[in-house]
Amino acid sequence: MTISPRIFTLPALAALPLALAVGLGAGHAHASAFQLKENSVKAMGRAFAGAGAAPDDYAVVVNNPAAMLDLPGSGFQFDVTAIQVSAKFSGSGTDALGRPISGGDGGDGGGTKPVPAIYYVAPINDRLSLGAALTVPFGFVTDYNTGWVGRYQAYKSDLQVPALTFSGAFRLNDAFSIGLSAIAQRAKADLSNAIDLGAVLAGPTQGAILPQGADGRIRMVGHDWAYGWQAGLLWKPTDADRIGLNYHSKIKHELSGDATFQVPAAVAPLLDPAFTNTRGHATLNTPAFTELSWWHTVNDRLSLGASVAYTEWSSFQALTIDFDNPAQPAATEPFGWRDTWFGSIGGDYKLNEVWTLRAGFAVDGTPTHADTRTPRVPDATRRWVSVGVGYKPSETLEINAGYTHLFVNDAHVDTINATGNRLTGVFDNYSNLLGVSGIVRF
């Protein structure tokens, strides 16, 4: 597709907010990779089946606080999961004149990062229990080689959203318990990409500068604290069945930070006062989600679980960016995300009082689609295959390990950014998760 060169008649300052929308907006517009379910190695071993109803996982502090009352006493749980992501692009790009964009395939944009989680639960009496947790419910990292064909869409994207959760649970009767949580989240984003300043200047310079002829670079760093809540319910209709329902609220972040530019010296005077370092502000919503979990004890050795979760990604339809520099008007970047479903089945099998085996399978949908998906997080629908093992040498100590492989559908990309650069192709993705955890009970 060739875009008419008439777009170059826009003055540089008019094109600026759209170019910056690419720089900040795309980093926050990526689907289920925003959400990290990896908060429990024990639950990961069964693909998070029954995560909000299983009776032996301290991660219910965040997965369903109502289930804290059935934990076996006070204790700490420490989890760490290494997430290894591979994202390799094949395809091509064209600039605003329809010419091929120079550059390679970007290498592997993925990498390996640890995701920690810490939990503490203290029963007050038979009817009341309190808990606290430090987890990372949202985040992603991708990083591509300098000068690659998709450089105008993304270089580095790093979003980290650790959260503190304080939970309480109250037993209504033998069948029903309720739980409430207060949540404090800190969001930090560090995003960069190239800017096709040649496309911005092509009109004003009467063709002396063309697209790809004057690449600049932008780095956006922003952060914010924000607060939310969750509510949970646990119902035990029989001695063998446990049903948990948990709702986690949407949390609205007002990110603020610095926009830093690298501009070729030869074109900087033509752009001034635009493309100069300034402060930026944007609203980022982490979505509300609801999860229903079931746990069934078949006998002393075998237990089965299932979960289904609904994430309200449709609350994120667009991102509006405001800048302190008056020469840089506010810009809006549309995304059009869709709500998603996650479903899993799995279970535990106790070999004896010391060793437990786990396995599970899950399907995790994506809210992205080809015309809004970008390389920052080239997400697609994923299928989980999980296994795990538990070792319990005493009543006060437990060690768990889990492994998951994620089979990811091909992530097709066909997007055009504000300066007319089109990226078309497909990402070949997969992920591996490997985690260990320890539980110490008092």
Side-chain angles (χ1 to χ4, degrees):
M1 175 177 178
T2 301
I3 300 176
S4 170
R6 288 178 296 175
I7 66 170
F8 302 144
T9 61
L10 291 172
L13 296 186
L16 173 66
L18 295 178
L20 292 184
V22 175
L24 177 61
H28 297 296
H30 285 280
S32 56
F34 240 110
Q35 190 172 17
L36 296 173
K37 295 187 72 68
E38 294 81 3
N39 58 28
S40 166
V41 171
K42 179 177 284 190
M44 187 180 76
R46 50 183 179 250
F48 291 89
D56 59 351
D57 190 352
Y58 285 75
V60 292
V61 173
V62 297
N63 291 329
N64 183 5
M68 292 192 303
L69 286 159
D70 292 336
L71 292 169
S74 300
F76 281 98
Q77 180 172 315
F78 307 89
D79 293 73
V80 61
T81 302
I83 301 179
Q84 183 258 328
V85 176
S86 178
K88 296 181 178 180
F89 176 74
S90 60
S92 60
T94 55
D95 63 21
L97 294 177
R99 304 176 306 165
I101 294 177
S102 63
D105 61 10
D108 192 337
T112 302
K113 292 290 182 180
V115 177
I118 303 173
Y119 305 95
Y120 174 67
V121 174
I124 305 303
N125 53 45
D126 290 342
R127 303 190 70 180
L128 179 65
S129 186
L130 301 178
L134 172 61
T135 59
V136 186
F138 300 92
F140 64 81
V141 178
T142 52
D143 196 358
Y144 300 95
N145 296 340
T146 299
W148 80 294
V149 68
R151 60 188 177 274
Y152 301 121
Q153 278 78 14
Y155 271 135
K156 182 179 180 180
S157 308
D158 188 349
L159 175 67
Q160 302 176 27
V161 189
L164 289 167
T165 302
F166 301 94
S167 299
F170 182 74
R171 193 187 311 275
L172 300 175
N173 52 46
D174 290 342
F176 288 96
S177 300
I178 58 173
L180 291 172
S181 302
I183 303 165
Q185 282 187 177
R186 185 181 190 274
K188 181 180 180 181
D190 186 347
L191 312 165
S192 63
N193 59 268
I195 304 176
D196 191 353
L197 298 175
V200 175
L201 292 169
T205 59
Q206 300 295 319
I209 302 175
L210 294 175
Q212 304 183 64
D215 278 6
R217 188 160 178 158
I218 179 175
R219 181 185 180 193
M220 301 289 300
V221 178
H223 55 84
D224 178 58
W225 279 96
Y227 306 93
W229 58 274
Q230 69 176 354
L233 173 69
L234 183 70
W235 176 38
K236 294 183 279 189
T238 72
D239 290 340
D241 293 287
R242 301 162 56 86
I243 297 173
L245 179 65
N246 190 60
Y247 174 81
H248 186 292
S249 73
K250 178 176 73 173
I251 298 180
K252 181 179 179 180
H253 287 274
E254 298 291 347
L255 297 173
S256 62
D258 297 316
T260 304
F261 296 92
Q262 296 177 12
V263 178
V267 300
L270 302 174
L271 296 166
D272 188 63
F275 294 95
T276 57
N277 297 346
T278 184
R279 297 282 293 177
H281 312 271
T283 298
L284 168 69
N285 296 324
T286 58
F289 56 90
T290 305
E291 185 161 6
L292 179 66
S293 301
W294 169 68
W295 190 256
H296 177 70
T297 301
V298 178
N299 53 44
D300 291 343
R301 289 181 176 270
L302 180 64
S303 297
L304 301 175
S307 289
V308 60
Y310 182 73
T311 303
E312 299 177 31
W313 284 117
S314 61
S315 64
F316 199 96
Q317 290 295 304
L319 183 72
T320 298
I321 310 163
D322 297 295
F323 301 99
D324 288 356
N325 183 351
Q328 301 170 3
T332 297
E333 184 78 3
F335 295 111
W337 290 3
R338 300 169 291 202
D339 296 338
T340 61
W341 290 91
F342 172 92
S344 65
I345 56 173
D348 291 0
Y349 182 76
K350 291 185 177 181
L351 295 175
N352 50 47
E353 293 301 317
V354 177
W355 293 96
T356 300
L357 301 180
R358 302 183 180 95
F361 174 79
V363 177
D364 189 10
T366 177
T368 61
H369 40 93
D371 56 348
T372 60
R373 185 181 293 125
T374 83
R376 293 200 184 274
V377 181
D379 191 51
T381 296
R382 298 171 286 182
R383 291 164 181 82
W384 301 45
V385 177
S386 301
V387 293
V389 61
Y391 173 63
K392 188 177 179 182
S394 70
E395 291 300 318
T396 59
L397 178 64
E398 183 178 346
I399 299 171
N400 295 282
Y403 169 76
T404 297
H405 182 79
L406 273 62
F407 298 89
V408 186
N409 290 357
D410 289 344
H412 294 273
V413 175
D414 188 1
T415 58
I416 303 175
N417 70 7
T419 51
N421 306 105
R422 182 178 185 179
L423 185 69
T424 304
V426 63
F427 281 86
D428 181 13
N429 302 328
Y430 67 85
S431 293
N432 290 298
L433 315 176
L434 180 63
V436 293
S437 73
I439 300 174
V440 180
R441 300 184 179 91
F442 308 127

